[in-house]
Amino acid sequence: MDELFSSKNKTGKKSSDRHNNSPLADRMRPRTLEDIIGQDHIVGPGRLLRRAIQADRLSSIILYGPPGTGKTSLASVIANTTRAAFENLNAVLSGVKDIREVIDRSDERFRLYSKRTILFVDEVHRWNKAQQDALLPWVENGTVILIGATTENPFFEVNRALVSRSRIFQLKPLGNNDLLEAAQRTIADTERGYGNWKVLFEEGALDHLVEVAGGDTRSLLNAMELAVETSVSPWPPSAGTEIFISMEAAEESIQRRALLYDRDGDYHFDTISAFIKSVRGSDPDAALYWLAKMVRAGEDPKFIFRRMIILASEDVGLADPLALSVVVSCAQAFERIGFPEGNFPLSHACLYLATAPKSNTAMAFFDALKEVEREDADVPNHLRDASRDKEGFGHGEGYVYPHAYRDHWAAQQYLPTSLRGRTFYVPSIVGYEGKIREEVLQRRELQAAIVLGDAETGGEFLSWSASSKGREGWFKRLESGRSTLLRNDRDNIFKTASVARHSRVLIPLANDGLLLWESLRRCPEGLTAALVNSLAAKDALLRYAQVLDTNILDEAEKPQLAVTDDILPTVDQCEEWFSCSKFDHILIRSPRLSADPNQLASAVKTLLAENGNLILLFSPPRLGERISRILKDECLIRAERDIVLKLEQSEESFFENTSISGLYDENELTAAFEKNNFTVEQQIIDQKEERLITEKDLAAWFNTEHSRWGSFMAKTLEKSDFTAIEDALRQRITQGPVMWMWRSILHRIFNN
């Protein structure tokens, strides 16, 4: 084990002198998972990485984050925890020869003792492609388990093949409370820190160190070491000595922190991205801040102006046509005067764009480009060049000259015939475009009326019969519609939930796997747990997981499934079935809500973490489809309309009475959750799909003994009317699928 992670030297003797003389930040490295401060999103209870470390089932990983966030410290914890042999290399100091020596030792260790080897590589992005390729086969065959550490985005700076065989964990800068805890631990630690003395800080001095450290633990501890060990002489003093750190000493110990900025690296792209998004979002204060950061870090002003020129067309566009001219003028002015006065045209351009109205309608070009790539349509005859082939081919014949008309405009076809009526550009309502919008749309309407009115109808009519299409065609069409419906439900749920890579997600009613696979993709560093109602469903999902491209590499990364007939588990069941009993998100998609809302709210309260949310998508009966609506358009005579009107009234009575339908509505659900101190938000979603209604469906609906709907209708309608409705619906379904329309309620329920 390397000296970085060991208190013994190569002779096996304690190197206490080395330990005592090493920097404070090195001495205070965590030794166990419990010692780690912050980074709960990847090593907190129930998180994937913590489970893998505790089970000693670690696969290759890359730790990515700014300096001082604990990448090397986390590696040292793994070194102290794992039963595998531990090797480490620094990419700055080592080459292919060092890699081969480590591989030889690892291979021999595995062959002779069946012992795995974990290889920690600090600054892994510093290795060139050849060095990274030299390691790749041994990571591939499992000879070594790689732990790479890097301050650069591994997706850009590390070999793609190496990244694809590793799981990426992003470490974040520590918050001020975390840094304060690290400082207090250091002051109290008698073995590695300053617990043998009485270290006191002037009011505000320690807070100043924490603030300026900016999330960097190493920076904080280095500053503390300088402040403490230079405030008393000689060092070390006798035990119990009082050491006072004044505000002046604290300020001298931690100078202005160097900006996290690399003109060729990740921070360069992140900062320009923040700048562009702030300008696009019309926030002049944020735009100026990111602009100042780039200038302070030495960014090339030509690069900044280039991005602002692009933004002037892409994001401001025709909402303010002058924006492009202003930015280009500012760029030319900067070339003439340079720094430091050049800061004025830089700021001028930034503020003009940030405060300008926004429109991205220039993106319509790419829609047109897709059509060109899809089909290379011919130029209409009347638009062709008449100067060459007018006599032989009639080119240009029929062209209307706009200037011969009032307002210098005339309606005629300009698009290819195959694209008649196609729209690419839709003016926004903002700025200059808002002024021309009405005129553009009016002209487009006139143009469409003239061009399309005389054109022959092409394509397939929307009305078609069973004989012309056949049942096979119906089912293909219905299957396509159902796929779209499911995809929309899934996307709405995850968009509303706002899950993160490290989220812990519980998915009840997960038999279809619709939400399960998406959660695995979106939360690779967290936990996905799901409930199914049978062992057969659980086995099917686990088998399916083996063939899905969801990067499920080992047991720690698979979904955790449990079988139960209940919608939600108890806390005790969670502790038995899963790696945690609290979840950040609970996602439920259910066509009907049959669970008692009060019981559901109580169960959710015990399972949701603080600030967690429940996303529930269901369709209340009162917002469902009505047979009366389907039949309304089919009524050709007064007698039929009267019967359907009676049916409509009866259906409204049935669906408004939830006790008859045996289901709950959204108002009961909201009341139950608000009573349990949840905050409830609702969104209504219009749903529709084509459905092929069969005789089996009719038999089920109109069954007066087993169907609640059929029983209620038979009691409230005359027998002849009830029979007439069934016959009318039977006649309708012979004509093909029915457009089934209903509304779903998407609930976002917060645990306050």
Side-chain angles (χ1 to χ4, degrees):
M1 198 177 291
D2 188 88
E3 292 172 346
L4 177 62
F5 304 124
S6 174
S7 60
K8 293 183 179 182
N9 58 26
K10 296 180 180 179
T11 65
K13 297 179 181 179
K14 287 280 185 179
S15 53
S16 56
D17 290 341
R18 173 184 170 84
H19 176 76
N20 292 333
N21 293 325
S22 62
L24 177 64
D26 184 56
R27 300 199 306 269
M28 291 302 298
R29 288 193 190 280
R31 296 169 176 171
T32 66
L33 284 169
E34 286 67 29
D35 290 342
I36 294 177
I37 298 174
Q39 312 303 343
D40 286 347
H41 64 289
I42 61 172
V43 292
R47 305 299 185 185
L48 171 65
L49 184 56
R50 187 186 188 96
R51 300 198 309 270
I53 294 172
Q54 290 174 331
D56 200 11
R57 296 292 300 166
L58 195 69
S59 57
S60 291
I61 63 173
I62 295 178
L63 304 174
Y64 154 50
T69 52
K71 299 182 293 297
T72 305
S73 295
L74 185 53
S76 72
V77 168
I78 295 172
N80 293 332
T81 305
T82 182
R83 292 185 296 273
F86 205 95
E87 301 264 4
N88 80 83
L89 295 173
N90 188 301
V92 177
L93 304 175
S94 59
V96 174
K97 177 177 178 294
D98 302 289
I99 298 174
R100 288 173 179 166
E101 290 176 355
V102 169
I103 295 303
D104 289 342
R105 291 196 299 271
S106 303
D107 187 43
E108 182 180 6
R109 194 178 290 128
F110 186 77
R111 286 187 294 102
L112 297 180
Y113 309 108
S114 299
K115 190 171 187 178
R116 300 185 307 156
T117 299
I118 294 178
L119 172 60
F120 173 65
V121 181
D122 200 10
E123 304 291 338
V124 65
H125 65 278
R126 298 281 189 177
W127 270 347
N128 59 35
K129 187 176 185 301
Q131 290 169 314
Q132 294 184 35
D133 285 344
L135 184 60
L136 184 61
W138 309 105
V139 172
E140 176 78 25
N141 65 22
T143 300
V144 295
I145 298 169
L146 172 67
I147 301 179
T150 175
T151 57
E152 301 295 332
N153 191 327
F155 294 103
F156 295 110
E157 301 299 333
V158 179
N159 187 324
R160 290 183 61 184
L162 207 55
V163 169
S164 70
R165 289 158 176 81
S166 307
R167 182 162 292 279
I168 310 298
F169 290 97
Q170 183 174 4
L171 283 74
K172 300 178 180 179
L174 271 63
N176 285 356
N177 289 337
D178 293 328
L179 289 179
L180 192 60
E181 181 181 349
Q184 291 168 345
R185 284 190 188 182
T186 302
I187 294 171
D189 193 310
T190 58
E191 179 187 353
R192 298 177 291 167
Y194 299 125
N196 294 317
W197 305 280
K198 188 176 182 180
V199 178
L200 302 175
F201 283 83
E202 182 181 345
E203 184 177 356
L206 184 56
D207 292 334
H208 175 75
L209 294 179
V210 167
E211 183 68 30
V212 178
D216 187 334
T217 312
R218 184 186 297 109
S219 176
L220 171 65
L221 295 181
N222 287 344
M224 285 183 62
E225 181 177 27
L226 186 60
V228 171
E229 298 186 13
T230 59
S231 295
V232 62
S233 182
W235 183 265
S238 59
T241 300
E242 181 177 301
I243 304 174
F244 180 76
I245 311 300
S246 65
M247 177 62 79
E248 182 182 1
E251 290 174 342
E252 290 178 346
S253 298
I254 188 165
Q255 301 297 323
R256 185 174 71 171
R257 190 164 47 93
L259 290 178
L260 287 177
Y261 198 88
D262 181 350
R263 287 179 58 184
D264 299 319
D266 205 29
Y267 297 110
H268 158 82
F269 292 105
D270 285 345
T271 307
I272 191 64
S273 174
F275 172 69
I276 293 299
K277 289 173 180 174
S278 299
V279 175
R280 181 184 294 139
S282 300
D283 188 331
D285 301 306
L288 283 175
Y289 172 82
W290 296 117
L291 175 65
K293 181 168 184 176
M294 288 188 290
V295 172
R296 162 71 173 74
E299 183 61 82
D300 185 355
K302 292 181 180 179
F303 171 74
I304 301 174
F305 272 119
R306 176 179 175 273
R307 295 301 300 266
M308 286 197 287
I309 290 172
I310 295 170
L311 186 141
S313 289
E314 178 184 354
D315 294 297
V316 177
L318 288 180
D320 184 352
L322 290 177
L324 183 60
S325 299
V326 169
V327 177
V328 170
S329 296
C330 288
Q332 292 173 343
F334 182 89
E335 288 183 0
R336 291 190 177 187
I337 61 178
F339 279 129
E341 292 84 354
N343 285 318
F344 291 111
L346 263 173
S347 176
H348 182 163
C350 168
L351 290 174
Y352 190 96
L353 292 177
T355 56
K358 304 297 190 296
S359 172
N360 68 341
T361 52
M363 299 289 288
F365 165 78
F366 298 99
D367 293 332
L369 187 60
K370 288 180 182 177
E371 287 293 342
V372 172
E373 293 172 348
R374 187 179 66 85
E375 179 181 356
D376 186 10
D378 289 335
V379 177
N381 193 64
H382 66 285
L383 297 181
R384 294 185 179 183
D385 182 9
S387 63
R388 295 182 295 116
D389 298 315
K390 181 176 181 179
E391 293 184 5
F393 297 99
H395 288 180
E397 185 175 345
Y399 171 67
V400 176
Y401 187 60
H403 295 297
Y405 293 82
R406 188 173 63 181
D407 297 330
H408 302 268
W409 179 83
Q412 63 182 319
Q413 175 186 334
Y414 291 102
L415 278 169
T417 302
S418 60
L419 296 177
R420 269 193 311 240
R422 180 72 165 86
T423 298
F424 298 112
Y425 171 63
V426 179
S428 73
I429 62 174
V430 178
Y432 171 78
E433 271 191 319
K435 299 176 183 178
I436 66 171
R437 175 183 171 85
E438 185 175 354
E439 182 180 7
V440 171
L441 296 181
Q442 284 179 344
R443 287 181 174 178
R444 182 171 289 158
E445 290 167 3
L446 288 172
Q447 198 164 355
I450 295 173
V451 173
L452 299 180
D454 295 335
E456 294 182 0
T457 303
E460 179 184 330
F461 286 102
L462 293 178
S463 57
W464 40 269
S465 64
S467 60
S468 66
K469 287 294 168 186
R471 296 182 66 83
E472 182 180 355
W474 290 354
F475 282 114
K476 287 182 179 178
R477 184 165 174 173
L478 295 177
E479 183 179 335
S480 173
R482 174 55 57 90
S483 299
T484 301
L485 185 70
L486 294 177
R487 184 172 62 250
N488 290 342
D489 282 355
R490 181 200 65 192
D491 292 346
N492 280 326
I493 288 172
F494 278 95
K495 180 181 178 182
T496 305
S498 298
V499 299
R501 290 176 59 86
H502 52 271
S503 292
R504 297 165 295 186
V505 180
L506 175 63
I507 304 173
L509 308 175
N511 285 39
D512 61 3
L514 177 70
L515 305 180
L516 178 64
W517 311 127
E518 187 69 11
S519 178
L520 286 171
R521 283 191 290 270
R522 294 186 182 226
C523 310
E525 298 168 13
L527 168 71
T528 296
L531 302 174
V532 295
N533 62 9
S534 69
L535 284 172
K538 178 180 178 180
D539 292 340
L541 290 176
L542 289 176
R543 284 197 304 271
Y544 197 43
Q546 303 303 318
V547 298
L548 281 178
D549 183 20
T550 51
N551 291 324
I552 299 175
L553 303 177
D554 54 36
E555 289 295 327
E557 300 169 44
K558 288 183 179 178
Q560 298 185 9
L561 304 179
V563 179
T564 178
D565 290 327
D566 299 323
I567 292 184
L568 288 174
T570 64
V571 172
D572 291 340
Q573 287 173 329
C574 282
E575 292 176 350
E576 177 185 352
W577 296 337
F578 309 131
S579 299
C580 66
S581 58
K582 293 286 186 179
F583 297 90
D584 303 306
H585 308 279
I586 300 177
L587 311 179
I588 301 178
R589 176 185 175 273
S590 177
R592 298 288 184 267
L593 183 64
S594 56
D596 183 283
N598 291 294
Q599 295 178 1
L600 185 64
S602 298
V604 170
K605 195 69 176 178
T606 63
L607 297 175
L608 268 185
E610 186 178 356
N611 298 320
N613 60 43
L614 162 68
I615 308 300
L616 172 61
L617 178 66
F618 83 107
S619 304
R622 71 180 189 85
L623 299 180
E625 181 61 286
R626 306 287 191 268
I627 300 299
S628 54
R629 190 205 65 79
I630 295 174
L631 294 178
K632 258 185 180 180
D633 295 337
E634 309 299 321
C635 299
L636 302 178
I637 60 177
R638 178 62 180 271
E640 292 176 340
R641 290 199 295 271
D642 290 343
I643 293 174
V644 171
L645 181 60
K646 295 177 184 178
L647 174 63
E648 184 177 26
Q649 295 171 346
S650 296
E651 283 191 305
E652 288 304 315
S653 298
F654 172 78
F655 285 110
E656 285 297 331
N657 190 339
T658 54
S659 62
I660 295 177
S661 65
L663 300 167
Y664 299 94
D665 65 23
E666 71 278 14
N667 297 321
E668 294 173 277
L669 184 80
T670 298
F673 275 93
E674 288 180 344
K675 189 171 73 172
N676 281 269
N677 297 320
F678 286 94
T679 300
V680 182
E681 296 178 355
Q682 294 184 11
Q683 176 188 350
I684 296 179
I685 300 175
D686 290 318
Q687 308 268 39
K688 64 179 180 179
E689 67 171 339
E690 286 188 311
R691 291 188 182 179
L692 192 62
I693 300 174
T694 65
E695 284 290 339
K696 184 177 180 181
D697 295 320
L698 294 185
W701 294 345
F702 288 88
N703 188 312
T704 57
E705 294 182 6
H706 302 293
S707 166
R708 291 192 181 97
W709 183 89
S711 175
F712 185 86
M713 296 304 139
K715 292 176 182 177
T716 56
L717 296 172
E718 295 181 10
K719 185 175 181 180
S720 58
D721 291 342
F722 186 69
T723 303
I725 291 168
E726 183 177 4
D727 292 341
L729 189 58
R730 179 175 286 106
Q731 177 63 30
R732 168 63 187 85
I733 67 176
T734 61
Q735 301 171 16
V738 169
M739 183 57 72
W740 196 273
M741 297 188 292
W742 73 101
R743 286 180 170 181
S744 295
I745 304 288
L746 184 64
H747 295 268
R748 189 179 188 188
I749 302 170
F750 296 91
N751 185 22
N752 297 322

